[in-house]
Amino acid sequence: MNTTNLTTFVTVMHTGSISGAAEKLFITQPAVSKRIKNLEDEFNITLFDTVGRGIVPTQAASEMLPHAKRWLEDYENFKINLQHSQHIVSGKLVIGTSHHIGLHHLAPVLKHFIQTYPAVQLEVHFVDSEKAHKAVLDGDLSLAFVTLPPVYDKRLSYHTLWSDPLYFMTGTLSPLATKSNVTLEQLARYPAILPSANTFTSQITLAEFAKHNLKPYATMSTNPLESIRMLVSVGLGWSVLPQTMISQDLERIDMADNIELQRYLGVVINPKLTPSSSVTALLDLLAPIE
């Protein structure tokens, strides 16, 4: 229903004339008449009878008046409340995060957020970075904390939060643990345990080998870095792991030329989606990290 037509109708009822309503609403008399006609067509009724040079409200008009007033009042209250709610951080917020970021980086952030905004119903989905990335693009997640891709998708916005260098690691009992100045060519001859090739972390690793026309000898593939760390620690192969994953049962491989891979962790959002107050609040809270 058009609120403009209803407002015009109520004004005509109060002023008692088309001309009076036109003067009060600062519009022409034909514009008033058109709005009244629109209402009559919408409800298939007659609202005013023309008597001489004036108008007389019909029974339908008298019955409509209290309902129209109430509807317009409810509409204004709803509009005010809706505008007010945009400034109150509340409601449901669905975010995604990779297991690694969730376990090693995100806890302090989320703890601060829920303490600051207790009215927000936070729902966290643990998914691989690549799946979370797609879920944000599809609009299924408000935002996601992911390993940032080597090549950004122009349809999305990215904010780097943490630098997360990757180190070549092996088990303490592996022959690689005692070797010095290991080249990528030498490393490619040893069994590797890497995330699947479609993951951002694996793409970074494979790209480094590709620069030298090499390909690692991957004997096993699993995505969770925690699983890879365990498999490497028992001596089943080497891998690349971030600092937060290094433990006593691992040894950093002494790479020639100090080769070190770099990845970045951050948040991805879809700029086509209007951010809720909770999304804006979380992004504002993250700003000091950047």
Side-chain angles (χ1 to χ4, degrees):
M1 185 181 296
N2 190 313
T3 57
T4 302
N5 292 340
L6 270 185
T7 301
T8 302
F9 162 72
V10 171
T11 306
V12 171
M13 291 291 286
H14 284 171
T15 60
S17 68
I18 298 294
S19 59
E23 183 177 349
K24 190 167 185 178
L25 295 173
F26 302 102
I27 58 177
T28 64
Q29 293 186 38
V32 172
S33 298
K34 183 176 181 180
R35 292 176 184 179
I36 297 300
K37 182 64 167 56
N38 289 339
L39 268 182
E40 291 178 329
D41 291 343
E42 183 173 352
F43 291 102
N44 194 27
I45 56 174
T46 299
L47 292 172
F48 298 98
D49 290 327
T50 302
V51 179
R53 300 182 63 181
I55 57 172
V56 177
T58 64
Q59 181 180 345
S62 299
E63 293 177 357
M64 178 181 282
L65 183 60
H67 295 287
K69 287 181 177 179
R70 191 179 314 117
W71 195 93
L72 289 171
E73 183 178 351
D74 289 344
Y75 173 78
E76 286 302 317
N77 289 335
F78 169 71
K79 186 166 67 171
I80 292 171
N81 291 336
L82 188 60
Q83 291 171 345
H84 180 62
S85 70
Q86 300 305 300
H87 302 287
I88 298 178
V89 182
S90 61
K92 187 175 182 179
L93 174 60
V94 183
I95 68 172
T97 179
S98 70
H99 289 81
H100 175 72
I101 295 176
L103 293 174
H104 298 282
H105 296 278
L106 205 52
V109 174
L110 296 186
K111 183 178 181 180
H112 185 189
F113 180 74
I114 61 177
Q115 288 176 337
T116 306
Y117 304 105
V120 175
Q121 181 187 348
L122 183 63
E123 185 175 310
V124 182
H125 292 189
F126 283 86
V127 289
D128 291 343
S129 289
E130 298 72 32
K131 291 182 179 179
H133 189 268
K134 185 177 185 304
V136 172
L137 184 60
D138 294 340
D140 296 328
L141 292 175
S142 299
L143 56 82
F145 294 89
V146 299
T147 299
L148 298 180
V151 179
Y152 286 179
D153 188 319
K154 293 181 179 180
R155 296 169 293 179
L156 298 173
S157 294
Y158 301 86
H159 303 276
T160 302
L161 300 177
W162 303 283
S163 174
D164 200 39
L166 299 169
Y167 301 100
F168 292 92
M169 304 300 300
T170 190
T172 54
L173 299 179
S174 167
L176 285 168
T178 56
K179 285 185 176 294
S180 300
N181 295 316
V182 179
T183 65
L184 285 179
E185 185 176 3
Q186 291 173 325
L187 191 61
R189 302 191 191 112
Y190 288 84
I193 303 171
L194 300 173
S196 58
N198 68 322
T199 63
F200 299 147
T201 299
S202 189
Q203 289 171 20
I204 293 170
T205 304
L206 295 175
E208 184 64 27
F209 277 84
K211 290 178 186 176
H212 305 274
N213 295 315
L214 295 171
K215 187 175 181 181
Y217 172 43
T219 57
M220 277 187 283
S221 175
T222 180
N223 286 353
L225 292 180
E226 287 76 11
S227 300
I228 291 177
R229 190 205 67 78
M230 184 276 291
L231 294 172
V232 171
S233 71
V234 300
L236 291 176
W238 64 268
S239 190
V240 290
L241 293 169
Q243 181 68 43
T244 51
M245 302 291 297
I246 298 176
S247 57
Q248 297 180 33
D249 48 5
L250 295 177
E251 188 72 32
R252 183 173 173 180
I253 300 172
D254 183 12
M255 298 297 297
D257 301 321
N258 293 318
I259 297 175
E260 181 182 292
L261 304 182
Q262 180 66 60
R263 73 173 188 172
Y264 296 94
L265 313 177
V267 64
V268 56
I269 60 175
N270 191 331
K272 289 187 177 180
L273 301 178
T274 302
S276 64
S277 58
S278 56
V279 167
T280 301
L282 180 54
L283 292 176
D284 288 345
L285 186 149
L286 291 168
I289 298 178
E290 297 184 59

